[in-house]
Structure formats: C-alpha cells, structure tokens
C-alpha cells in the first residue's frame, strides 16, 4: 500500500472537505468516503485531476470544443428546421388549394399563383434529386440523360416567379395565422368566437402556456415513471411475501393433514365397521326371517296333519256314536244292559266333545 506524508494524511482525513470536493467532481464514479480515506494519495490525485477535467471526464479544452460544436449543430439544426417548416407550410397551402378546388371556384390570379408555386416546387425537387452531393467526388450517372441545369430550364417565366415570390410572404402569413387560430381554438375552444385582435393578443401568451403544459406533461411523465418503478418494486416485494406466505401455508396444511389423517383414518374404520355391522345385522335378519318362515310353514303343516287326524277321529267317533245310538235304540228294551250302554254312550259323548275342542283349538 502506498504511504503518504503525515501532512497529506491529515488533509485528507475522514470528514475533510476535500472528500466532498472529489466526490462532487466525479459523480459518475462509484466512490465513497471510506475509499478516499483508505487511499489518500489517490484522493489527492483525483483532487488535482478535477482541476483539469469536468464531471464527465472530458478535459476542459475538449469540453469547450464540444460545446462549440454543439452550438454550431444547434444553429444548423435551427436553420434546417426553419427551412423545413416553411417548405411544409408551402406544401400544405398547395394541398389545401387543390382540395378547395373541388368545393369552390378560386380566382384566376389565385390559380395562377398556386400553379406557379407547385411548378417551382416540383422543378426544385427534381433538380435537388439530380444534383450530386458536394460530399461525393466522383461523377454521378445521369437519370434519363437529365441534368439539374436542364430541369431548371423548366421553371415558369421569371415574371410569374417574381409575382409568386411577391405574394408568397402574404399567403404564408395568412396560412400561418389560420393554423395558429386553429391551434388556439383547439387549446381553448371558448376563444373560437373571439375577435381577431383578441385572438392575436392571446396567441402571444400561447407559447408560455404551451411551455408550461409541456413542462407539466414532462413532470407527470417522470412522476408516472417513478410511480411505475415504485409499483414494480412493491409488486415484486408483494409477490415475494405472497410466495413466502404460500410456502408457510403449504407447510401448515401438510402438518395439519398429517395430524388430521389419523382421526380421518379412525373415522373411516369406524364407518366401515358400522357398515359391516349393519350388513351382518341385515343378513341375520334375513336368516331369521327365513327360519321364521320355515318354522311357520312347519307349524302349518303340523296343524294341518293334526287337524286331518282329529277330523278322521271325529268322523270315526261320530260313526261309532251313530252305531251306538242305533244299538241303543235297538236295545232299549233291555233293562240293566241299557244302563251299561247309556254309560258307554255318555263316555263317548264326552270324548267327542273333548276332541271337538282340541280340533277347534288347533285349527288356524
């Protein structure tokens, strides 16, 4: 590292005005006070160099030459703009005259003026195309064998050209005033019906107003650009925070899903167990229903067999009763033997009543 005398180190110490002088002299350099403090000789070199160059790094002599060239360029540009503006105004006048011919009849003098003007413009344009540039040394080939001199011979008569030039400033002034009044009416529509004198007075103030509007527009554009940059930064910050929130939310959702999954699986198991239990109960109910149906059918068959048996026995008892009654009738003439038959008859009657009761009880 370079060493410096104590006097130099003291003069360029941190916080010294020399630091601010160097930083102000070279704003395009990314220097800090810490850099200048750590390199005092380099700071002194920059301070000396700032007396010979400007803030962009150009020498003072070169800066003067550049300013002179820029001034000359502005002058040349202003002259070109002046000529170009007049040329465009003349072209607009010619176009408006051609357009107005379809709506109204112009005076012969006016037609003659514009005819001469258009012819002069056309000849001048062709001559400019045929005339080689002064920056080209070699000869240019002629177009259709024409030269600028031959084309210039097609100019209108000198008297007509002189008359056209005498009238042209007046027509330019009228056309320019018309454009200015149109611009004034566009900028302030309420001034359209004002008198010509008042319009001229307000036209004198229009450049100042337009300049202020232009400055305001530039200020708004710059402000919009700054707002757009700020919005872009805020949007980037917002998207970054949103992405972090989404990642955190995904983590929380995953954790919650793992915690809830256990309860969810348990509920699913309980649900399937309940569903299986219901299925088993349905199967049991169906089996019980089948068994009950089979039991009912067996009971009905049993009752039917018992009923048939009882009916058979009842018919046999009735036949036996009829036999005994006939016997009783035939043996009534007998004494003791008749009592024995009567007891037997009573016994049979009781047996018939018992079997009839049993038949009624077992009959569905």
């Amino acid at each position: 590292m370079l060493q410096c005398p104590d006097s130099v180190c003291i003069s360029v110490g941190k916080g010294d005005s020399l630091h601010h002088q160097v930083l102000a002299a070279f704003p395009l350099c990314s220097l800090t006070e810490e850099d200048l403090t750590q390199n005092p000789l380099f700071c002194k070199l920059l301070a000396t160099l700032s007396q010979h160059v400007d803030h962009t790094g150009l020498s003072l002599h070169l800066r003067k030459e550049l300013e002179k060239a820029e001034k000359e360029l502005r002058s040349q540009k202003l002259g070109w703009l002046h000529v170009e503006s007049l040329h465009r105004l003349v072209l607009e006048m010619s176009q408006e005259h051609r357009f107005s011919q379809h709506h109204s009849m112009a005076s012969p003098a006016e037609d003659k003026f514009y005819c001469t003007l258009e012819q002069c413009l056309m000849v001048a344009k062709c001559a400019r195309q045929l005339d080689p540039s002064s920056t080209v040394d070699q000869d240019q080939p002629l177009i259709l064998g024409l030269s600028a001199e031959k084309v210039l011979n097609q100019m209108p008569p000198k008297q007509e050209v002189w008359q056209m030039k005498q009238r042209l400033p007046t027509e330019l002034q009228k056309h320019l005033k018309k454009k200015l009044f149109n611009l004034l009416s566009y900028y302030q529509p309420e001034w359209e019906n004002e008198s010509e004198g008042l319009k001229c007075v307000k036209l004198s103030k229009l450049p100042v107003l337009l300049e202020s509007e232009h400055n305001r527009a530039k200020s708004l554009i710059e402000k919009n650009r700054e707002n757009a940059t700020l919005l872009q930064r805020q949007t980037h910050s917002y998207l970054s925070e949103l992405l972090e929130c989404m990642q955190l939310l995904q983590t929380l959702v995953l954790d919650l899903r793992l915690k809830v999954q256990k309860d969810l699986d348990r509920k699913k198991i309980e649900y399937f167990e309940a569903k299986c239990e219901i299925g088993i109960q349905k199967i049991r109910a169906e089996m019980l229903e089948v068994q009950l149906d089979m039991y009912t059918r067996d009971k009905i068959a049993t009752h039917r067999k018992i009923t048939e048996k009882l009916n058979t026995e009842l018919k046999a008892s009735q036949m036996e009763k009829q036999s005994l009654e006939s016997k009783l009738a035939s043996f009534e003439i007998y004494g003791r033997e008749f009592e024995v038959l009567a007891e037997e008859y009573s016994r049979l009657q009781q047996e018939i009543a018992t079997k009839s009761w049993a038949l009624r009880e077992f009959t569905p």
Side-chain angles (χ1 to χ4, degrees):
M1 182 180 293
L2 295 174
Q3 299 295 328
C4 63
D6 295 340
S7 59
V8 175
C9 293
I10 294 173
S11 62
V12 294
K14 188 174 181 181
D16 196 88
S17 60
L18 186 59
H19 289 173
H20 301 287
Q21 177 185 347
V22 172
L23 293 176
F26 299 98
L28 301 180
C29 298
S30 56
L31 293 174
T32 61
E33 282 195 45
E34 185 177 357
D35 297 332
L36 300 177
T37 303
Q38 294 177 357
N39 302 277
L41 291 179
F42 181 64
C43 177
K44 184 179 179 181
L45 175 62
L46 292 178
T48 305
L49 187 62
S50 64
Q51 301 176 4
H52 303 280
V53 298
D54 63 357
H55 66 282
T56 62
L58 294 176
S59 64
L60 299 181
H61 175 71
L62 186 59
R63 166 56 61 184
K64 292 179 180 179
E65 293 293 331
L66 180 61
E67 291 177 352
K68 182 180 179 181
E70 290 177 348
K71 184 178 180 180
E72 181 66 21
L73 178 62
R74 285 194 297 269
S75 176
Q76 293 290 338
K77 185 183 294 185
L78 184 61
W80 180 86
L81 289 175
H82 178 71
V83 175
E84 183 67 15
S85 300
L86 290 176
H87 182 256
R88 292 190 180 186
L89 283 174
V90 171
L91 291 179
E92 286 181 5
M93 289 169 52
S94 177
Q95 292 174 358
E96 288 185 3
H97 175 70
R98 285 180 174 272
F99 181 75
S100 63
Q101 284 181 337
H102 298 284
H103 300 279
S104 61
M105 295 296 294
S107 63
E110 187 174 0
D111 290 337
K112 186 65 176 177
F113 167 77
Y114 282 102
C115 182
T116 305
L117 178 62
E118 291 175 1
Q119 187 175 355
C120 290
L121 290 174
M122 183 61 67
V123 171
K125 182 177 180 182
C126 294
R128 187 169 58 253
Q129 294 293 332
L130 294 172
D131 189 16
S133 174
S134 58
T135 59
V136 180
D137 296 334
Q138 60 184 2
D139 295 335
Q140 297 292 326
L142 298 178
I143 302 175
L144 300 177
L146 297 175
S147 62
E149 291 78 9
K150 292 181 180 180
V151 173
L152 289 175
N153 291 331
Q154 302 300 318
M155 290 286 286
K158 293 183 179 180
Q159 181 65 24
E160 295 179 0
V161 174
W162 182 82
Q163 292 177 358
M164 182 270 295
K165 290 182 178 181
Q166 292 295 320
R167 183 176 176 180
L168 183 59
T170 305
E171 295 295 330
L172 281 173
Q173 185 178 3
K174 289 169 58 178
H175 183 73
L176 187 58
K177 183 183 292 186
K178 181 180 177 182
K179 287 178 66 68
L180 289 175
F181 285 164
N182 291 335
L183 178 62
L184 183 65
S185 299
Y186 175 80
Y187 182 72
Q188 292 290 344
E190 63 272 12
W191 294 350
E192 185 175 2
N193 298 324
E194 299 289 345
S195 63
E196 184 175 347
L198 187 57
K199 286 183 178 180
C200 292
V201 173
K202 292 182 177 180
L203 275 175
S204 62
K205 301 178 181 179
L206 187 59
V208 179
L209 295 176
L210 292 179
E211 182 67 21
S212 63
E213 289 290 334
H214 178 67
N215 294 333
R216 189 172 68 88
K218 288 175 61 177
S219 176
L220 290 176
I221 292 173
E222 184 65 26
K223 186 176 181 180
N224 288 338
R225 187 180 294 110
E226 294 176 357
N227 291 336
T229 304
L230 180 60
L231 179 61
Q232 186 177 4
R233 292 177 181 175
Q234 291 178 349
T235 302
H236 183 269
S237 176
Y238 170 76
L239 291 177
S240 301
E241 293 181 1
L242 184 61
L243 183 60
E244 293 178 0
C245 293
M246 290 180 63
Q247 293 176 351
L248 179 60
L249 184 61
Q250 288 178 353
T251 305
L252 293 176
V253 169
L254 182 60
D255 294 341
L256 182 61
R257 183 180 298 173
L258 293 176
K259 292 179 182 178
V260 174
Q261 189 67 35
K262 183 178 180 180
D263 296 337
L264 183 61
D265 293 340
R266 180 177 56 79
K267 291 182 182 296
K268 285 184 178 179
I269 293 173
E270 293 177 355
Y271 168 74
F272 286 123
E273 288 179 350
K275 193 172 182 179
C276 292
E277 184 67 24
I278 292 173
I280 293 173
Q281 290 180 1
K282 286 184 178 180
I283 293 173
R284 288 178 179 175
E286 291 177 356
M287 292 178 64
L288 289 175
E289 186 177 357
V290 171
Q291 292 177 358
L292 181 61
D293 186 35
M294 293 176 63
Y295 176 76
T296 304
R297 290 180 180 179
D298 292 341
K299 290 291 291 181
I300 292 174
T302 303
H303 289 168
R304 188 176 296 169
K305 290 179 180 179
I306 294 173
T307 302
E308 291 177 354
K309 182 179 180 181
L310 291 176
N311 286 333
T312 303
E313 291 179 358
L314 179 60
K315 289 179 180 180
S317 298
Q318 288 178 351
M319 291 177 63
E320 187 179 359
K321 176 185 175 183
Q322 291 177 358
S323 175
L324 291 174
E325 285 180 349
S326 62
K327 287 181 181 182
L328 180 62
S330 61
F331 291 106
E332 283 181 353
I333 55 175
Y334 298 103
R336 182 64 181 165
E337 294 177 355
F338 179 77
E339 292 179 359
V340 174
L341 290 174
E343 290 178 358
E344 182 68 19
Y345 176 77
S346 298
R347 186 185 63 78
L348 291 174
Q349 287 285 357
Q350 186 176 3
E351 185 177 353
I352 290 171
T354 301
K355 292 181 177 181
S356 298
W357 174 82
L359 180 63
R360 287 194 300 274
E361 289 295 326
F362 287 101
T363 300

